[in-house]
Amino acid sequence: MADTQSVQIPALEEFLKAGVHFGHRKSRWNPKMEEYIYTERNGVHIIDLVKSMKMLKSALEAMQKAADTGSILLVGTKGQAASMVQKVAEDNGAFYVNTRWPGGLFTNYEMIHKSVSKLVSMEERLASGAEDLVKKEQLLLDRDVARLNKLYQGIKFMDKLPAMIVVIDSKLEKNAIKESRLAGIPIVALIDTNCDPDLVDYPIPANDDSIRSIGMFLELFGEAIKAGKRSDRVISLRQSHTAKLDSLRAEFERNEEQKRQQEEAERERMKKLRAGLEVAEAARSSASEAKVEERTTVVRVTKKDDGKETARKVEPKKKEKTLEDLGISGRVASALETAGYAKVSHLVELTKSDLKAIKGIGDVAADEILKAIKKMK
């Protein structure tokens, strides 16, 4: 193996096993790639791996120097590369884009950076419970965070433009290539036989479709990035952010559990209080009934001829009803009282004729008195 500072380049046989030498069909080639094509086999171009290894060495050296002065951005959005790009970037302290190139990342960096900073704040707010928001607002905030993370997950904490970008498929990632050239950012890229090598500062002729080929190159890129002085800073920033979110979530969960326990204790207290009030009410009701019975019940003691005493309950006499209880008019009541009929019991046996015979009582008044007496019965 040949050494490139701390990165070891695999032997030619390992590149062959990974299928790095397979290009595209001849009908799909870019003529600018002619100098990197070794031969053609069954209508498929074969890449010259000797030249690829030489150019890989130059690219890794440039990448290590860039990693000492700034950050490295890995770009690979194609399906077979996306997950590997994320893993290599997170393990080795690089930034990455693996879903869709966020337009304006380099040409309108200030606005993109504000959006990323807002995303970080939104994540912290959600982790804290977002208690100032109603359920629907929390749900919408959660959706916004998921949407922004899909786009900006890999470039959080990228406080300035990267020192270099590394592209897996220069033809597919044409927007990233274009913005990098406008911003003057060096580009390392895998270029297949259908790509334009003139658009890239450090082209590496290789199969950019094979999973094994992509994986081999990403592993080498990761080693070069990790050897740089800035990689630990990126890893540390990510770990600190993750730890902060975990801490906020744990604190929120503790507070929620404490609230739950307090609410449960309050429910138990109110339950006991209601039970106590019911018992007290029942006791008061029983006592009240006993007092009523005492007031309304008379015990009469009698002595028999043999000298023994017996006791029995005697219901008290009902209170005599007065003319006021009848609810008759004052004039009629006055006439009755003048005639000596002051109580209802005096009137019970009287007929209508008897009542009319009383001075001041006419036909209407007699009917009124009889009707009132009937109701009272």
PDB file of all heavy atoms in Angstrom, residues 104-131:
ATOM      1  N   GLY A 104     -28.951  27.630  -2.798  1.00  0.00           N
ATOM      2  CA  GLY A 104     -28.461  28.853  -2.178  1.00  0.00           C
ATOM      3  C   GLY A 104     -27.590  28.626  -0.967  1.00  0.00           C
ATOM      4  O   GLY A 104     -27.256  29.579  -0.263  1.00  0.00           O
ATOM      5  N   LEU A 105     -27.199  27.375  -0.712  1.00  0.00           N
ATOM      6  CA  LEU A 105     -26.381  27.089   0.471  1.00  0.00           C
ATOM      7  C   LEU A 105     -25.092  27.914   0.467  1.00  0.00           C
ATOM      8  O   LEU A 105     -24.663  28.407   1.515  1.00  0.00           O
ATOM      9  CB  LEU A 105     -26.048  25.599   0.535  1.00  0.00           C
ATOM     10  CG  LEU A 105     -25.158  25.156   1.704  1.00  0.00           C
ATOM     11  CD1 LEU A 105     -25.789  25.541   3.039  1.00  0.00           C
ATOM     12  CD2 LEU A 105     -24.892  23.660   1.659  1.00  0.00           C
ATOM     13  N   PHE A 106     -24.484  28.075  -0.691  1.00  0.00           N
ATOM     14  CA  PHE A 106     -23.248  28.864  -0.793  1.00  0.00           C
ATOM     15  C   PHE A 106     -23.524  30.279  -1.303  1.00  0.00           C
ATOM     16  O   PHE A 106     -22.924  31.235  -0.822  1.00  0.00           O
ATOM     17  CB  PHE A 106     -22.258  28.181  -1.736  1.00  0.00           C
ATOM     18  CG  PHE A 106     -21.769  26.844  -1.236  1.00  0.00           C
ATOM     19  CD1 PHE A 106     -21.266  25.898  -2.127  1.00  0.00           C
ATOM     20  CD2 PHE A 106     -21.810  26.520   0.109  1.00  0.00           C
ATOM     21  CE1 PHE A 106     -20.817  24.672  -1.682  1.00  0.00           C
ATOM     22  CE2 PHE A 106     -21.373  25.291   0.568  1.00  0.00           C
ATOM     23  CZ  PHE A 106     -20.874  24.368  -0.337  1.00  0.00           C
ATOM     24  N   THR A 107     -24.413  30.415  -2.294  1.00  0.00           N
ATOM     25  CA  THR A 107     -24.659  31.727  -2.894  1.00  0.00           C
ATOM     26  C   THR A 107     -25.572  32.603  -2.035  1.00  0.00           C
ATOM     27  O   THR A 107     -25.595  33.827  -2.199  1.00  0.00           O
ATOM     28  CB  THR A 107     -25.290  31.556  -4.288  1.00  0.00           C
ATOM     29  OG1 THR A 107     -26.476  30.757  -4.178  1.00  0.00           O
ATOM     30  CG2 THR A 107     -24.317  30.870  -5.238  1.00  0.00           C
ATOM     31  N   ASN A 108     -26.345  32.000  -1.136  1.00  0.00           N
ATOM     32  CA  ASN A 108     -27.210  32.772  -0.225  1.00  0.00           C
ATOM     33  C   ASN A 108     -27.043  32.207   1.186  1.00  0.00           C
ATOM     34  O   ASN A 108     -28.012  31.927   1.892  1.00  0.00           O
ATOM     35  CB  ASN A 108     -28.666  32.666  -0.696  1.00  0.00           C
ATOM     36  CG  ASN A 108     -29.578  33.670  -0.001  1.00  0.00           C
ATOM     37  OD1 ASN A 108     -29.123  34.673   0.547  1.00  0.00           O
ATOM     38  ND2 ASN A 108     -30.863  33.388  -0.006  1.00  0.00           N
ATOM     39  N   TYR A 109     -25.792  32.097   1.577  1.00  0.00           N
ATOM     40  CA  TYR A 109     -25.449  31.398   2.819  1.00  0.00           C
ATOM     41  C   TYR A 109     -26.073  32.034   4.062  1.00  0.00           C
ATOM     42  O   TYR A 109     -26.525  31.326   4.967  1.00  0.00           O
ATOM     43  CB  TYR A 109     -23.929  31.333   2.983  1.00  0.00           C
ATOM     44  CG  TYR A 109     -23.510  30.746   4.301  1.00  0.00           C
ATOM     45  CD1 TYR A 109     -23.636  29.379   4.544  1.00  0.00           C
ATOM     46  CD2 TYR A 109     -23.021  31.564   5.324  1.00  0.00           C
ATOM     47  CE1 TYR A 109     -23.280  28.838   5.761  1.00  0.00           C
ATOM     48  CE2 TYR A 109     -22.668  31.028   6.548  1.00  0.00           C
ATOM     49  CZ  TYR A 109     -22.791  29.665   6.763  1.00  0.00           C
ATOM     50  OH  TYR A 109     -22.455  29.134   7.964  1.00  0.00           O
ATOM     51  N   GLU A 110     -26.142  33.373   4.115  1.00  0.00           N
ATOM     52  CA  GLU A 110     -26.655  34.055   5.313  1.00  0.00           C
ATOM     53  C   GLU A 110     -28.091  33.637   5.619  1.00  0.00           C
ATOM     54  O   GLU A 110     -28.445  33.368   6.772  1.00  0.00           O
ATOM     55  CB  GLU A 110     -26.568  35.571   5.133  1.00  0.00           C
ATOM     56  CG  GLU A 110     -25.160  36.122   5.130  1.00  0.00           C
ATOM     57  CD  GLU A 110     -24.408  35.821   6.415  1.00  0.00           C
ATOM     58  OE1 GLU A 110     -25.046  35.861   7.494  1.00  0.00           O
ATOM     59  OE2 GLU A 110     -23.207  35.531   6.354  1.00  0.00           O
ATOM     60  N   MET A 111     -28.934  33.555   4.586  1.00  0.00           N
ATOM     61  CA  MET A 111     -30.331  33.168   4.796  1.00  0.00           C
ATOM     62  C   MET A 111     -30.432  31.705   5.223  1.00  0.00           C
ATOM     63  O   MET A 111     -31.225  31.352   6.106  1.00  0.00           O
ATOM     64  CB  MET A 111     -31.133  33.399   3.512  1.00  0.00           C
ATOM     65  CG  MET A 111     -31.331  34.865   3.165  1.00  0.00           C
ATOM     66  SD  MET A 111     -32.185  35.785   4.476  1.00  0.00           S
ATOM     67  CE  MET A 111     -33.769  34.966   4.494  1.00  0.00           C
ATOM     68  N   ILE A 112     -29.638  30.849   4.585  1.00  0.00           N
ATOM     69  CA  ILE A 112     -29.652  29.430   4.951  1.00  0.00           C
ATOM     70  C   ILE A 112     -29.185  29.261   6.402  1.00  0.00           C
ATOM     71  O   ILE A 112     -29.758  28.484   7.169  1.00  0.00           O
ATOM     72  CB  ILE A 112     -28.750  28.609   4.011  1.00  0.00           C
ATOM     73  CG1 ILE A 112     -29.270  28.691   2.569  1.00  0.00           C
ATOM     74  CG2 ILE A 112     -28.662  27.166   4.474  1.00  0.00           C
ATOM     75  CD1 ILE A 112     -30.588  27.995   2.335  1.00  0.00           C
ATOM     76  N   HIS A 113     -28.169  30.024   6.787  1.00  0.00           N
ATOM     77  CA  HIS A 113     -27.634  29.931   8.150  1.00  0.00           C
ATOM     78  C   HIS A 113     -28.680  30.357   9.173  1.00  0.00           C
ATOM     79  O   HIS A 113     -28.792  29.756  10.258  1.00  0.00           O
ATOM     80  CB  HIS A 113     -26.383  30.814   8.283  1.00  0.00           C
ATOM     81  CG  HIS A 113     -25.694  30.668   9.593  1.00  0.00           C
ATOM     82  ND1 HIS A 113     -25.776  31.614  10.593  1.00  0.00           N
ATOM     83  CD2 HIS A 113     -24.917  29.672  10.087  1.00  0.00           C
ATOM     84  CE1 HIS A 113     -25.093  31.215  11.649  1.00  0.00           C
ATOM     85  NE2 HIS A 113     -24.546  30.040  11.375  1.00  0.00           N
ATOM     86  N   LYS A 114     -29.477  31.380   8.841  1.00  0.00           N
ATOM     87  CA  LYS A 114     -30.564  31.804   9.745  1.00  0.00           C
ATOM     88  C   LYS A 114     -31.597  30.687   9.901  1.00  0.00           C
ATOM     89  O   LYS A 114     -32.105  30.449  11.004  1.00  0.00           O
ATOM     90  CB  LYS A 114     -31.229  33.067   9.204  1.00  0.00           C
ATOM     91  CG  LYS A 114     -30.391  34.329   9.377  1.00  0.00           C
ATOM     92  CD  LYS A 114     -31.124  35.542   8.829  1.00  0.00           C
ATOM     93  CE  LYS A 114     -30.266  36.805   8.980  1.00  0.00           C
ATOM     94  NZ  LYS A 114     -30.959  38.002   8.412  1.00  0.00           N
ATOM     95  N   SER A 115     -31.918  30.019   8.797  1.00  0.00           N
ATOM     96  CA  SER A 115     -32.895  28.920   8.848  1.00  0.00           C
ATOM     97  C   SER A 115     -32.374  27.774   9.714  1.00  0.00           C
ATOM     98  O   SER A 115     -33.129  27.172  10.489  1.00  0.00           O
ATOM     99  CB  SER A 115     -33.190  28.412   7.435  1.00  0.00           C
ATOM    100  OG  SER A 115     -33.801  29.417   6.658  1.00  0.00           O
ATOM    101  N   VAL A 116     -31.084  27.482   9.591  1.00  0.00           N
ATOM    102  CA  VAL A 116     -30.485  26.402  10.377  1.00  0.00           C
ATOM    103  C   VAL A 116     -30.471  26.771  11.860  1.00  0.00           C
ATOM    104  O   VAL A 116     -30.773  25.936  12.726  1.00  0.00           O
ATOM    105  CB  VAL A 116     -29.057  26.088   9.884  1.00  0.00           C
ATOM    106  CG1 VAL A 116     -28.403  25.044  10.778  1.00  0.00           C
ATOM    107  CG2 VAL A 116     -29.090  25.588   8.445  1.00  0.00           C
ATOM    108  N   SER A 117     -30.147  28.022  12.169  1.00  0.00           N
ATOM    109  CA  SER A 117     -30.145  28.485  13.565  1.00  0.00           C
ATOM    110  C   SER A 117     -31.556  28.417  14.145  1.00  0.00           C
ATOM    111  O   SER A 117     -31.751  28.028  15.313  1.00  0.00           O
ATOM    112  CB  SER A 117     -29.616  29.915  13.653  1.00  0.00           C
ATOM    113  OG  SER A 117     -28.290  29.996  13.185  1.00  0.00           O
ATOM    114  N   LYS A 118     -32.544  28.766  13.332  1.00  0.00           N
ATOM    115  CA  LYS A 118     -33.937  28.687  13.764  1.00  0.00           C
ATOM    116  C   LYS A 118     -34.319  27.231  14.047  1.00  0.00           C
ATOM    117  O   LYS A 118     -35.035  26.938  15.011  1.00  0.00           O
ATOM    118  CB  LYS A 118     -34.846  29.267  12.686  1.00  0.00           C
ATOM    119  CG  LYS A 118     -36.316  29.303  13.074  1.00  0.00           C
ATOM    120  CD  LYS A 118     -37.166  29.900  11.968  1.00  0.00           C
ATOM    121  CE  LYS A 118     -38.643  29.884  12.333  1.00  0.00           C
ATOM    122  NZ  LYS A 118     -39.492  30.423  11.239  1.00  0.00           N
ATOM    123  N   LEU A 119     -33.838  26.324  13.212  1.00  0.00           N
ATOM    124  CA  LEU A 119     -34.108  24.893  13.410  1.00  0.00           C
ATOM    125  C   LEU A 119     -33.574  24.426  14.760  1.00  0.00           C
ATOM    126  O   LEU A 119     -34.262  23.700  15.495  1.00  0.00           O
ATOM    127  CB  LEU A 119     -33.474  24.079  12.278  1.00  0.00           C
ATOM    128  CG  LEU A 119     -33.426  22.558  12.461  1.00  0.00           C
ATOM    129  CD1 LEU A 119     -34.827  21.981  12.603  1.00  0.00           C
ATOM    130  CD2 LEU A 119     -32.693  21.898  11.303  1.00  0.00           C
ATOM    131  N   VAL A 120     -32.365  24.829  15.102  1.00  0.00           N
ATOM    132  CA  VAL A 120     -31.766  24.438  16.382  1.00  0.00           C
ATOM    133  C   VAL A 120     -32.619  24.959  17.546  1.00  0.00           C
ATOM    134  O   VAL A 120     -32.878  24.242  18.518  1.00  0.00           O
ATOM    135  CB  VAL A 120     -30.316  24.962  16.486  1.00  0.00           C
ATOM    136  CG1 VAL A 120     -29.750  24.709  17.883  1.00  0.00           C
ATOM    137  CG2 VAL A 120     -29.428  24.300  15.439  1.00  0.00           C
ATOM    138  N   SER A 121     -33.065  26.220  17.442  1.00  0.00           N
ATOM    139  CA  SER A 121     -33.916  26.807  18.497  1.00  0.00           C
ATOM    140  C   SER A 121     -35.241  26.063  18.609  1.00  0.00           C
ATOM    141  O   SER A 121     -35.747  25.832  19.722  1.00  0.00           O
ATOM    142  CB  SER A 121     -34.180  28.282  18.194  1.00  0.00           C
ATOM    143  OG  SER A 121     -32.978  29.016  18.169  1.00  0.00           O
ATOM    144  N   MET A 122     -35.828  25.695  17.471  1.00  0.00           N
ATOM    145  CA  MET A 122     -37.100  24.963  17.463  1.00  0.00           C
ATOM    146  C   MET A 122     -36.945  23.593  18.116  1.00  0.00           C
ATOM    147  O   MET A 122     -37.819  23.140  18.862  1.00  0.00           O
ATOM    148  CB  MET A 122     -37.607  24.819  16.028  1.00  0.00           C
ATOM    149  CG  MET A 122     -38.092  26.127  15.416  1.00  0.00           C
ATOM    150  SD  MET A 122     -38.230  26.067  13.611  1.00  0.00           S
ATOM    151  CE  MET A 122     -39.566  24.905  13.391  1.00  0.00           C
ATOM    152  N   GLU A 123     -35.813  22.928  17.857  1.00  0.00           N
ATOM    153  CA  GLU A 123     -35.559  21.623  18.474  1.00  0.00           C
ATOM    154  C   GLU A 123     -35.486  21.755  19.997  1.00  0.00           C
ATOM    155  O   GLU A 123     -36.041  20.930  20.736  1.00  0.00           O
ATOM    156  CB  GLU A 123     -34.254  21.035  17.939  1.00  0.00           C
ATOM    157  CG  GLU A 123     -34.355  20.480  16.540  1.00  0.00           C
ATOM    158  CD  GLU A 123     -33.050  19.858  16.071  1.00  0.00           C
ATOM    159  OE1 GLU A 123     -31.987  20.416  16.379  1.00  0.00           O
ATOM    160  OE2 GLU A 123     -33.098  18.821  15.398  1.00  0.00           O
ATOM    161  N   GLU A 124     -34.789  22.790  20.464  1.00  0.00           N
ATOM    162  CA  GLU A 124     -34.661  23.007  21.907  1.00  0.00           C
ATOM    163  C   GLU A 124     -36.018  23.341  22.531  1.00  0.00           C
ATOM    164  O   GLU A 124     -36.335  22.898  23.635  1.00  0.00           O
ATOM    165  CB  GLU A 124     -33.659  24.126  22.172  1.00  0.00           C
ATOM    166  CG  GLU A 124     -32.221  23.747  21.788  1.00  0.00           C
ATOM    167  CD  GLU A 124     -31.251  24.892  21.980  1.00  0.00           C
ATOM    168  OE1 GLU A 124     -31.710  26.008  22.355  1.00  0.00           O
ATOM    169  OE2 GLU A 124     -30.040  24.694  21.749  1.00  0.00           O
ATOM    170  N   ARG A 125     -36.818  24.094  21.810  1.00  0.00           N
ATOM    171  CA  ARG A 125     -38.153  24.444  22.299  1.00  0.00           C
ATOM    172  C   ARG A 125     -39.036  23.207  22.428  1.00  0.00           C
ATOM    173  O   ARG A 125     -39.743  23.025  23.424  1.00  0.00           O
ATOM    174  CB  ARG A 125     -38.797  25.448  21.343  1.00  0.00           C
ATOM    175  CG  ARG A 125     -40.096  26.049  21.857  1.00  0.00           C
ATOM    176  CD  ARG A 125     -40.638  27.036  20.850  1.00  0.00           C
ATOM    177  NE  ARG A 125     -41.826  27.717  21.349  1.00  0.00           N
ATOM    178  CZ  ARG A 125     -42.569  28.544  20.608  1.00  0.00           C
ATOM    179  NH1 ARG A 125     -42.226  28.773  19.354  1.00  0.00           N
ATOM    180  NH2 ARG A 125     -43.632  29.113  21.118  1.00  0.00           N
ATOM    181  N   LEU A 126     -38.971  22.342  21.432  1.00  0.00           N
ATOM    182  CA  LEU A 126     -39.751  21.102  21.474  1.00  0.00           C
ATOM    183  C   LEU A 126     -39.277  20.192  22.603  1.00  0.00           C
ATOM    184  O   LEU A 126     -40.077  19.577  23.301  1.00  0.00           O
ATOM    185  CB  LEU A 126     -39.638  20.360  20.137  1.00  0.00           C
ATOM    186  CG  LEU A 126     -40.677  20.673  19.063  1.00  0.00           C
ATOM    187  CD1 LEU A 126     -40.404  19.837  17.823  1.00  0.00           C
ATOM    188  CD2 LEU A 126     -42.085  20.421  19.553  1.00  0.00           C
ATOM    189  N   ALA A 127     -37.942  20.105  22.754  1.00  0.00           N
ATOM    190  CA  ALA A 127     -37.392  19.249  23.805  1.00  0.00           C
ATOM    191  C   ALA A 127     -37.813  19.737  25.184  1.00  0.00           C
ATOM    192  O   ALA A 127     -37.971  18.937  26.114  1.00  0.00           O
ATOM    193  CB  ALA A 127     -35.866  19.215  23.703  1.00  0.00           C
ATOM    194  N   SER A 128     -38.048  21.063  25.308  1.00  0.00           N
ATOM    195  CA  SER A 128     -38.477  21.640  26.586  1.00  0.00           C
ATOM    196  C   SER A 128     -39.977  21.487  26.813  1.00  0.00           C
ATOM    197  O   SER A 128     -40.486  21.903  27.853  1.00  0.00           O
ATOM    198  CB  SER A 128     -38.105  23.122  26.645  1.00  0.00           C
ATOM    199  OG  SER A 128     -36.702  23.286  26.545  1.00  0.00           O
ATOM    200  N   GLY A 129     -40.684  20.937  25.826  1.00  0.00           N
ATOM    201  CA  GLY A 129     -42.115  20.693  25.982  1.00  0.00           C
ATOM    202  C   GLY A 129     -43.009  21.662  25.249  1.00  0.00           C
ATOM    203  O   GLY A 129     -44.190  21.388  25.046  1.00  0.00           O
ATOM    204  N   ALA A 130     -42.458  22.831  24.841  1.00  0.00           N
ATOM    205  CA  ALA A 130     -43.253  23.854  24.118  1.00  0.00           C
ATOM    206  C   ALA A 130     -44.597  24.075  24.812  1.00  0.00           C
ATOM    207  O   ALA A 130     -45.649  24.076  24.174  1.00  0.00           O
ATOM    208  CB  ALA A 130     -43.450  23.445  22.659  1.00  0.00           C
ATOM    209  N   GLU A 131     -44.569  24.269  26.127  1.00  0.00           N
ATOM    210  CA  GLU A 131     -45.802  24.368  26.911  1.00  0.00           C
ATOM    211  C   GLU A 131     -46.579  25.653  26.642  1.00  0.00           C
ATOM    212  O   GLU A 131     -47.748  25.760  27.008  1.00  0.00           O
ATOM    213  CB  GLU A 131     -45.478  24.257  28.405  1.00  0.00           C
ATOM    214  CG  GLU A 131     -44.941  22.889  28.799  1.00  0.00           C
ATOM    215  CD  GLU A 131     -44.669  22.772  30.281  1.00  0.00           C
ATOM    216  OE1 GLU A 131     -43.620  23.262  30.732  1.00  0.00           O
ATOM    217  OE2 GLU A 131     -45.515  22.208  30.978  1.00  0.00           O
TER     218      GLU A 131
END
